[in-house]
Amino acid sequence: MAYAAVISLKNTLDRLLHSSHLNLNTRKLIKHAYKQTISLQQLLSTLDDCSSRNLNAVDQQITHETHKLENLLEFHDSNPFLDHKPNNRKETSGSWQNSEEISQGIQSFCETVDKITEDSVAEIPHFSPEQDHDSDDQSYVKKGTVSVDYGEARDRLTERTRPNDFGIFQITGELGCGTTIAAAAILEDLKRCFDCAAGVRVGPVHERREILVCILAQINEPCESLDGKGEVEMGEFLYESLKGRRYLIVMDDVRDVGIWNFLESSFPVEDNGSAVLFTTRRQEKKLLRIRNRYMSYNMACRDQDTWWYMFRAGLFGPEECHAELEEAGKMILHNCRSLAIVILKVLLHLLKAEKTAQYWNQLAADQQNPIFIVDDEISEMCKIQEDLSSVSYSFLDEEEKGLLLEFIDFSNHIENIKKEILPQMFFPKMLTISFLGMAGIGKTTLAKEIFEDPMIRRCYDHHLWLTLGPEYVFEEILVDLLSQICPDIDKDGIKQDEDLVKRLCEQILDKKCLTVLDDVWSKKPLDYMKKLFPNIKGVALVTTRLAKVAQIGVDDPVCKMQLLNEEESWDLFCEEVFGETICPIRLEKAGKKIVENCEGLPLMIVTVASLLSRVEKTAALWNDAAQKNSQIFMDAYDQISTILVSSYKHLPQYLKVCFLYIGIFPQNKAIPTSQLILFWIAEGFLEPNSGNTIQDYAAECLLELESRCLVMVGQQSSSFKIKAFSLHSVFWHLSNNLATQSNFFRAFSTLADCGVENMEIMQRRLCIRNSTLLGIKDVHHSIASFSTTRSLICASPSHQYPVPVCFGLRLLRLMDALAIRLYEFPTEVVDSYFLRYLALTYNGSIPPCISKLWNLQFLIVSRHLSLVSSADSSYLPMEIWDMEELKHLQVAGSNLPDPDGGVALRHLSTLVGVSARSCTKKVLRKVSGLKRLGIRIELEPDENDDPYRCLNRISRLRRLESLKCVVVNPDFMPERVPPPAPRSMFPWGLKKLSLSGLGYPWEYMKIISKLENLQVLKLRCYAFQGPDWELRDDDLHALRFLLIEDTDLVRWKFSAACFIHLKCLCIKHCYQLEEIPPELCTSVETIQVVDCNPMVQNWAKDLEMRAYDIISSWDATKF
């Protein structure tokens, strides 16, 4: 893989250029080589967009030359370290002076690069080595959350559409909620978009003739000739007056079905964009059976808790409402019936009235008081505005008046209705529905089923299908579309006759088209089509593997295709293999195992079924085929690889590397995102954009692979990022095959994999998927002979017995041996001068020689199935403070000693697994850059020192973003005295906090509640205890994720104004919790309830009825 090799060499050259031990000539040569790597980057970027037949040869040549030079440089750089064992970096300067071998190697590399570039200029059009080629767009779009099945898609495609079809719009709401105001505003804003428009108030007492006269007068029709005519004749006259014209009629306060039926017959139903809008009250809504109704809109939007929050704020501001007034105030608000104009009217009255419980209770009891009634919304609005401008309300400043007027701000309602009535003012005229999903998931099949549905086809004048593919020339779309509209005319004729093209284009303008763009890889074809036909009507169905292509417009739906479930997979398999007959019982067990191994991908199921149909249907053959590595599956993977490989080929170079690397992990393994990102950083083949950290850039690369449907999200973190993911088996096999072909990595699963033909000298990455292979002498010696290996990853299941691991590889950068238990620390690993990542499973102490690994950035030492107590925990060697490059330190059961002198770990951002003993003032002062900290607290019966004191010291870490604090042996005895309240407790910049076993009273939560940046809060195992927890309105306002697990909490009180940004709430094992507020803020998307009091379960079920997504332990299908 040339890109990875070039970036790795570039980073090595950059490191050498920043070192102090190069002479002038060598520095000049290295600088020239560095510039050559930039040229190679540009060349590789160009290769992404060309179809040269020699791509593989060029890639291999670049890989070979860059590896050769980097091996030479790193062998040379490590010589003084191995020969003299210097005590510091400055002692490694001698071998770089006057090295003829280095000079020749760099010159040879530069000459080869010049030759490759020269050949590429001749073969690849538009390539210039000086040109700065931009990489592919790295932006990604979050996947759509809507999964639309066939029935839903058909309903969407056959429904009446604006602005062309005739539409009737209904606004429902009581007088006082703004229906009249909204109707009047819509008429005023939209009347210029119609040929004629009229508005009329109907009301409870009405004269049909007067209503008709009012409408006719506004549409400029003289009514003198109708004097003496009856209402039926006038209705007919109105019908003829409106016929052929695009009209908008607005009728306010329609209460009687009879008047509606009479007026409806006066409005011609023509699909020219005409619309009728009427308002009605809630109680009459069911009486009005409206035919052809396009939309019904309810003006009610706020619940009682939200109104109370606004009502109280308008009366008292930031001050508290006295308890004796609160109950009366809520009764007064109840009398307002959630009507915005009434609420403001009452509020303005109370602002001037006496704030006594007696007066408020009196007003609350008088439900028929005129103050609670609105007869005319517009008149009442004018009066309110006049009052606020008068002297009687001069005690309010302009800002306070503005806040009060927000009570009667109906602009959002008005805009929403306007968008439905006249959508072309806001959205494109063509609706686009995108089907997004990985290759083989059934996007084209679904689009074809919709396209061929007779009910859908009847709704459209033209039916156009274009299969594009990654190589499609988007300028050809005009010819391809017109040739389908007029199949009798050949494409060449269309291309050569401009007049014909114009005539054909004119035919489309007034027609509705159902267009399918299948296998789209860029937005350009669709954008070009809309540019050619700016007024095109209808629907475009787009199938694509790319999220950034699927997201067309703000209101264009994206349908994320899902893998088939077990039942759907089995049905598809049986249909392909047995047709209309059923599967024989003798084959059912093996057949279901085969289907399970297809992992829900329709293309894989169909391919395997096709192969099985050609062999004898015996239990023995099917049992063999049920193995994941059976010949049937291998043949199926090979067959569909031609379809899958397009997803890889059209990745930019930096993503190709990332995709291939994921294949190192075992098949079907859930891969932790954090581990993969550390691997990528240690490998050194990522080059972040300016202003972006390497960690953020790596996370973006993974997200982009997900947006291209190449990886599957397995678990989302509490901060709503990808916590774990996996590769579908079809892509895992593709990744491994491509990696083997390009010699990107070599994986050993069986002894056959370790044959001589697989043991190449230039093997950069080795993956051991079967640890027992290391115990075979010949295999171990062969691996140990790989002098140029940079990564050794033991990706096998945990191995409890020791096997010899090749720790002494000289140029090693990454060593992951967590799967292998070690009884002694492998001291030979310190000879790996360039080692950046070291992960071991080892129960002993870390020796001082670890400090020889000057380039080590990530040190992870796990314990083997043992309980770590404070008595067993040991201190890391004092020499750990000399490892200046450390960024991530995770050593279970070990602590950082107090530093000696001026040393500091300035780059350390993660410290995990240490006890409270590591949180001394001296230690924290020297790790001030920490962003993530995980500490363990163990309570001792006779301990005099307060173990919680460390929490006060943590507040010194100003850059800390994530903190996890666990008391491993919490004491919750009744006689136990609660720990003392911390002074400051946590840094103000904290974003993620996880606490367990602290046993603090809930009143201490007020300290955490004031953390302005806190987004994730996890409270486990009596982190706080006591029966009551009450939150104030401004508490935890930035929180997005909240977990409460294992607590004795009984009553939890908060208002809807709390948690205004909360997305996910998890309540687990809270058996005593009985009281929770009935309302949550509208931002909450998911609520998870596991093994709680039945009252909590009922509360969650009630919320589920109101469109909250509930994940519960009583619903096995969702949990």
Side-chain angles (χ1 to χ4, degrees):
M1 183 66 206
Y3 180 85
V6 170
I7 298 300
S8 179
L9 174 60
K10 186 178 177 182
N11 289 334
T12 297
L13 293 170
D14 181 67
R15 175 178 58 81
L16 292 173
L17 286 172
H18 284 83
S19 63
S20 58
H21 52 264
L22 298 180
N23 60 38
L24 186 61
N25 290 333
T26 304
R27 184 177 298 277
K28 185 177 180 180
L29 284 170
I30 289 178
K31 191 171 184 179
H32 181 51
Y34 183 85
K35 291 181 179 179
Q36 293 289 67
T37 61
I38 297 176
S39 296
L40 287 177
Q41 272 187 274
Q42 295 174 358
L43 172 61
L44 290 171
S45 177
T46 307
L47 291 177
D48 281 335
D49 303 319
C50 77
S51 56
S52 171
R53 287 174 292 182
N54 297 323
L55 290 183
N56 289 336
V58 173
D59 190 280
Q60 291 174 8
Q61 188 179 10
I62 293 174
T63 302
H64 174 76
E65 294 299 327
T66 51
H67 280 171
K68 186 169 70 172
L69 178 58
E70 188 172 30
N71 291 338
L72 175 64
L73 294 174
E74 291 198 338
F75 270 120
H76 206 76
D77 196 28
S78 63
N79 280 334
F81 173 81
L82 294 174
D83 295 341
H84 309 296
K85 304 289 184 184
N87 293 319
N88 58 65
R89 298 169 190 264
K90 295 181 180 179
E91 297 181 20
T92 65
S93 61
S95 65
W96 282 96
Q97 310 301 321
N98 303 318
S99 173
E100 186 64 28
E101 185 182 11
I102 294 294
S103 299
Q104 291 177 357
I106 294 176
Q107 288 175 359
S108 174
F109 171 77
C110 293
E111 290 172 1
T112 304
V113 171
D114 289 337
K115 181 65 168 62
I116 294 173
T117 304
E118 182 181 344
D119 294 342
S120 300
V121 169
E123 184 174 352
I124 303 174
H126 312 303
F127 172 64
S128 171
E130 289 80 23
Q131 182 180 352
D132 183 16
H133 295 271
D134 293 331
S135 62
D136 284 22
D137 179 16
Q138 295 180 32
S139 63
Y140 55 87
V141 181
K142 290 183 178 179
K143 64 184 182 183
T145 57
V146 182
S147 179
V148 177
D149 62 17
Y150 176 75
E152 290 176 294
R154 185 176 66 178
D155 292 342
R156 186 69 184 264
L157 291 170
T158 56
E159 67 184 4
R160 299 180 67 80
T161 57
R162 296 288 297 169
N164 308 299
D165 293 334
F166 174 76
I168 297 177
F169 301 82
Q170 174 182 338
I171 308 177
T172 304
E174 299 294 327
L175 271 178
C177 72
T179 54
T180 300
I181 294 168
I186 291 167
L187 176 62
E188 182 64 28
D189 291 348
L190 296 187
K191 62 183 181 182
R192 66 183 184 278
C193 301
F194 293 82
D195 298 333
C196 58
V200 62
R201 176 175 170 79
V202 179
V205 180
H206 53 263
E207 277 289 340
R208 296 183 179 184
R209 192 176 188 282
E210 299 245 345
I211 293 172
L212 294 172
V213 169
C214 182
I215 295 175
L216 285 166
Q218 294 179 68
I219 63 173
N220 300 320
E221 289 293 332
C223 301
E224 291 80 5
S225 61
L226 296 175
D227 291 343
K229 300 291 184 181
E231 58 189 34
V232 175
E233 291 174 295
M234 292 191 68
E236 293 173 350
F237 182 75
L238 176 59
Y239 184 93
E240 292 299 325
S241 300
L242 293 175
K243 192 173 182 180
R245 301 167 75 181
R246 190 180 188 206
Y247 62 86
L248 171 64
I249 305 296
V250 176
M251 297 182 294
D252 183 38
D253 199 13
V254 179
R255 305 190 188 185
D256 180 66
V257 66
I259 184 63
W260 168 253
N261 290 336
F262 168 74
L263 292 173
E264 185 186 21
S265 63
S266 302
F267 304 138
V269 178
E270 296 179 304
D271 288 338
N272 61 358
S274 296
V276 175
L277 170 68
F278 70 93
T279 71
T280 186
R281 297 191 179 189
R282 291 192 185 96
Q283 58 264 34
E284 281 88 25
K285 181 179 179 182
K286 292 184 179 179
L287 298 177
L288 298 172
R289 303 296 182 182
I290 309 301
R291 293 180 289 107
N292 297 324
R293 185 175 62 203
Y294 184 76
M295 185 197 74
S296 179
Y297 193 91
N298 195 329
M299 287 288 286
C301 62
R302 296 188 177 104
D303 56 48
Q304 198 72 6
D305 284 339
T306 304
W307 275 126
W308 170 246
Y309 172 76
M310 297 176 65
F311 190 75
R312 184 186 62 188
L315 286 169
F316 299 99
E319 299 177 6
E320 292 289 332
C321 174
H322 298 296
E324 61 270 16
L325 292 178
E326 183 170 342
E327 184 177 355
K330 289 185 176 180
M331 291 177 62
I332 292 172
L333 186 63
H334 178 74
N335 294 343
C336 296
R337 307 184 307 284
S338 295
L339 304 177
I341 298 175
V342 176
I343 293 172
L344 182 55
K345 180 180 174 183
V346 172
L347 191 152
L348 292 175
H349 171 75
L350 292 177
L351 279 172
K352 294 196 301 180
E354 52 183 326
K355 290 185 176 65
T356 64
Q358 180 182 357
Y359 179 75
W360 279 34
N361 283 320
Q362 181 182 348
L363 183 60
D366 186 9
Q367 297 184 15
Q368 302 304 317
N369 193 306
I371 200 171
F372 297 122
I373 299 172
V374 170
D375 293 321
D376 187 302
E377 290 184 354
I378 295 178
S379 299
E380 200 69 57
M381 281 274 288
C382 293
K383 185 176 184 307
I384 287 172
Q385 291 171 342
E386 289 175 5
D387 289 344
L388 285 174
S389 302
S390 66
V391 179
S392 56
Y393 287 95
S394 59
F395 58 89
L396 296 173
D397 59 29
E398 292 303 317
E399 183 178 355
E400 290 171 329
K401 292 179 182 179
L403 291 174
L404 291 177
L405 288 174
E406 288 184 6
F407 280 64
I408 51 175
D409 180 8
F410 305 115
S411 58
N412 286 337
H413 295 292
I414 293 169
E415 291 303 310
N416 288 336
I417 300 170
K418 283 163 58 179
K419 288 175 182 178
E420 295 289 345
I421 296 176
L422 212 62
Q424 75 267 32
M425 292 179 62
F426 307 92
F427 309 120
K429 293 185 177 181
M430 171 178 280
L431 172 70
T432 303
I433 302 176
S434 299
F435 298 112
L436 172 66
M438 69 171 68
I441 204 169
K443 305 182 295 295
T444 302
T445 302
L446 177 58
K448 186 176 182 181
E449 191 172 354
I450 293 171
F451 184 77
E452 295 178 349
D453 189 303
M455 182 182 295
I456 294 175
R457 293 180 72 87
R458 283 197 297 269
C459 298
Y460 298 88
D461 302 305
H462 294 297
H463 314 93
L464 312 172
W465 183 293
L466 296 182
T467 300
L468 307 186
E471 307 298 336
Y472 187 79
V473 180
F474 69 89
E475 290 88 350
E476 294 289 323
I477 197 167
L478 174 62
V479 175
D480 289 338
L481 286 173
L482 295 179
S483 64
Q484 292 191 46
I485 293 172
C486 299
D488 297 334
I489 304 174
D490 60 52
K491 290 186 178 183
D492 291 334
I494 294 174
K495 290 180 181 179
Q496 297 169 9
D497 192 337
E498 291 186 9
D499 292 334
L500 175 62
V501 171
K502 289 180 180 178
R503 291 198 303 272
L504 294 176
C505 289
E506 288 173 357
Q507 292 181 21
I508 300 178
L509 293 181
D510 297 324
K511 305 295 183 180
K512 289 177 65 177
C513 299
L514 175 60
T515 307
V516 175
L517 301 180
D518 185 36
D519 196 19
V520 182
W521 290 76
S522 168
K523 286 186 178 182
K524 290 180 180 179
L526 190 60
D527 292 341
Y528 191 67
M529 184 178 74
K530 290 183 176 181
K531 184 178 179 180
L532 289 170
F533 310 109
N535 298 315
I536 192 169
K537 306 175 183 70
V539 176
L541 304 180
V542 173
T543 71
T544 182
R545 308 178 192 184
L546 310 178
K548 67 181 180 182
V549 172
Q551 194 67 47
I552 307 296
V554 177
D555 288 274
D556 290 322
V558 178
C559 309
K560 177 72 174 180
M561 302 287 290
Q562 305 294 331
L563 294 170
L564 302 182
N565 60 31
E566 183 179 340
E567 182 180 353
E568 293 167 336
S569 299
W570 177 247
D571 290 343
L572 176 60
F573 176 79
C574 290
E575 181 182 345
E576 293 293 324
V577 177
F578 303 105
E580 297 182 357
T581 61
I582 62 173
C583 174
I585 296 177
R586 71 180 189 280
L587 300 178
E588 187 170 330
K589 182 177 180 180
K592 289 190 173 181
K593 183 63 178 176
I594 291 170
V595 171
E596 179 186 338
N597 291 340
C598 294
E599 300 170 25
L601 188 66
L603 178 61
M604 188 65 182
I605 295 171
V606 171
T607 305
V608 169
S610 175
L611 292 171
L612 281 174
S613 300
R614 304 171 193 172
V615 301
E616 189 178 355
K617 294 180 176 62
T618 65
L621 284 175
W622 277 46
N623 285 329
D624 290 340
Q627 305 304 313
K628 274 203 170 184
N629 294 325
S630 67
Q631 192 59 47
I632 287 285
F633 274 93
M634 294 301 105
D635 291 344
Y637 290 136
D638 290 340
Q639 281 190 29
I640 65 177
S641 64
T642 55
I643 298 173
L644 303 177
V645 77
S646 295
S647 294
Y648 171 79
K649 284 184 176 179
H650 289 84
L651 290 174
Q653 290 286 335
Y654 66 95
L655 285 182
K656 286 180 179 177
V657 179
C658 296
F659 174 72
L660 292 185
Y661 197 93
I662 295 173
I664 283 182
F665 293 89
Q667 185 177 1
N668 300 125
K669 174 181 171 60
I671 305 167
T673 301
S674 57
Q675 181 184 17
L676 178 70
I677 289 177
L678 295 187
F679 278 16
W680 282 351
I681 295 173
E683 289 280 1
F685 53 59
L686 293 181
E687 189 175 46
N689 302 322
S690 58
N692 214 355
T693 66
I694 186 71
Q695 289 86 353
D696 289 342
Y697 179 73
E700 286 181 9
C701 290
L702 181 57
L703 280 171
E704 192 165 356
L705 287 174
E706 190 272 335
S707 76
R708 292 170 178 264
C709 298
L710 286 168
V711 302
M712 301 184 300
V713 177
Q715 186 179 358
Q716 199 175 48
S717 71
S718 55
S719 54
F720 305 97
K721 298 178 180 178
I722 300 177
K723 185 175 183 178
F725 67 96
S726 62
L727 282 180
H728 193 283
S729 286
V730 294
F731 283 112
W732 185 85
H733 278 274
L734 178 68
S735 174
N736 277 258
N737 289 340
L738 292 172
T740 301
Q741 293 170 17
S742 61
N743 204 29
F744 183 71
F745 69 77
R746 182 72 63 181
F748 298 147
S749 300
T750 65
L751 188 59
D753 296 330
C754 307
V756 176
E757 66 277 6
N758 292 322
M759 297 295 189
E760 302 204 19
I761 298 175
M762 297 283 283
Q763 193 55 256
R764 300 274 290 194
R765 297 170 189 88
L766 298 176
C767 176
I768 311 299
R769 294 180 179 152
N770 184 353
S771 298
T772 56
L773 293 174
L774 294 172
I776 300 175
K777 186 175 180 180
D778 291 342
V779 175
H780 184 273
H781 286 168
S782 296
I783 294 175
S785 67
F786 292 156
S787 58
T788 62
T789 298
R790 300 308 201 279
S791 302
L792 180 58
I793 299 172
C794 299
S796 65
S798 296
H799 197 83
Q800 60 178 329
Y801 301 107
V803 293
V805 183
C806 306
F807 284 104
L809 299 175
R810 181 172 174 180
L811 302 184
L812 208 61
R813 295 177 182 174
L814 187 154
M815 164 61 78
D816 187 320
L818 280 175
I820 299 173
R821 182 179 183 180
L822 301 176
Y823 288 89
E824 294 182 358
F825 187 85
T827 54
E828 64 271 26
V829 76
V830 302
D831 290 339
S832 299
Y833 173 70
F834 299 105
L835 196 65
R836 301 169 185 169
Y837 181 103
L838 177 61
L840 309 169
T841 296
Y842 169 63
N843 286 16
S845 299
I846 306 300
C849 64
I850 191 74
S851 63
K852 298 293 185 182
L853 296 174
W854 293 330
N855 294 296
L856 195 67
Q857 299 177 19
F858 310 101
L859 177 58
I860 301 171
V861 181
S862 176
R863 299 273 178 153
H864 177 74
L865 300 177
S866 62
L867 297 175
V868 180
S869 67
S870 59
D872 300 326
S873 61
S874 60
Y875 282 94
L876 292 167
M878 184 63 69
E879 289 78 3
I880 199 76
W881 291 100
D882 296 328
M883 303 178 70
E884 298 176 3
E885 297 299 321
L886 270 181
K887 296 179 180 178
H888 182 109
L889 183 57
Q890 183 176 342
V891 184
S894 295
N895 297 300
L896 275 174
D898 284 349
D900 187 13
V903 295
L905 297 178
R906 294 181 177 85
H907 296 113
L908 191 67
S909 60
T910 299
L911 178 60
V912 179
V914 297
S915 76
R917 298 177 185 177
S918 292
C919 297
T920 65
K921 291 181 181 179
K922 290 184 178 180
V923 169
L924 296 181
R925 192 178 295 119
K926 299 299 184 180
V927 292
S928 57
L930 274 184
K931 292 184 177 181
R932 179 187 170 206
L933 175 62
I935 58 176
R936 303 164 63 257
I937 297 176
E938 185 169 357
L939 303 179
E940 298 290 343
D942 54 351
E943 188 172 15
N944 295 323
D945 191 22
D946 176 17
Y948 295 93
R949 185 180 299 174
C950 64
L951 296 179
N952 281 321
R953 304 189 191 110
I954 290 172
S955 62
R956 300 171 181 268
L957 299 172
R958 302 301 181 189
R959 299 180 184 177
L960 195 67
E961 296 179 357
S962 175
L963 172 64
K964 182 175 183 179
C965 180
V966 178
V967 178
V968 295
N969 58 338
D971 180 10
F972 302 124
M973 300 301 292
E975 64 274 9
R976 178 174 177 265
V977 179
R983 293 190 301 275
S984 55
M985 205 167 183
F986 305 118
W988 286 104
L990 206 62
K991 295 180 180 179
K992 185 175 181 179
L993 177 61
S994 178
L995 303 175
S996 177
L998 293 174
Y1000 281 126
W1002 286 106
E1003 63 187 72
Y1004 289 4
M1005 270 296 299
K1006 62 186 179 183
I1007 300 173
I1008 297 175
S1009 298
K1010 297 303 178 185
L1011 295 175
E1012 297 181 354
N1013 298 304
L1014 191 65
Q1015 298 177 13
V1016 176
L1017 178 60
K1018 299 179 181 180
L1019 306 175
R1020 292 188 173 98
C1021 192
Y1022 291 83
F1024 290 83
Q1025 61 180 351
D1028 296 286
W1029 179 21
E1030 184 170 358
L1031 288 130
R1032 291 174 294 184
D1033 288 348
D1034 58 344
D1035 287 348
L1036 299 170
H1037 71 276
L1039 202 67
R1040 301 184 66 203
F1041 180 96
L1042 175 61
L1043 166 66
I1044 306 174
E1045 183 175 359
D1046 287 321
T1047 180
D1048 58 354
L1049 182 63
V1050 178
R1051 291 169 294 276
W1052 185 18
K1053 298 180 180 180
F1054 56 84
S1055 72
C1058 292
F1059 308 125
I1060 58 175
H1061 294 107
L1062 192 68
K1063 297 293 184 185
C1064 183
L1065 171 64
C1066 299
I1067 306 174
K1068 300 181 180 181
H1069 313 304
C1070 296
Y1071 303 108
Q1072 300 181 48
L1073 184 58
E1074 297 178 355
E1075 185 177 334
I1076 306 177
E1079 294 293 340
L1080 282 172
C1081 64
T1082 56
S1083 65
V1084 177
E1085 297 174 353
T1086 302
I1087 301 172
Q1088 184 178 8
V1089 177
V1090 179
D1091 293 339
C1092 289
N1093 188 308
M1095 295 181 67
V1096 178
Q1097 297 179 3
N1098 292 333
W1099 167 81
K1101 288 178 180 178
D1102 180 61
L1103 290 177
E1104 189 171 24
M1105 298 296 292
R1106 286 180 274 163
Y1108 287 94
D1109 183 16
I1110 306 296
I1111 302 173
S1112 54
S1113 54
W1114 65 82
D1115 187 353
T1117 62
K1118 295 178 69 176
F1119 183 64

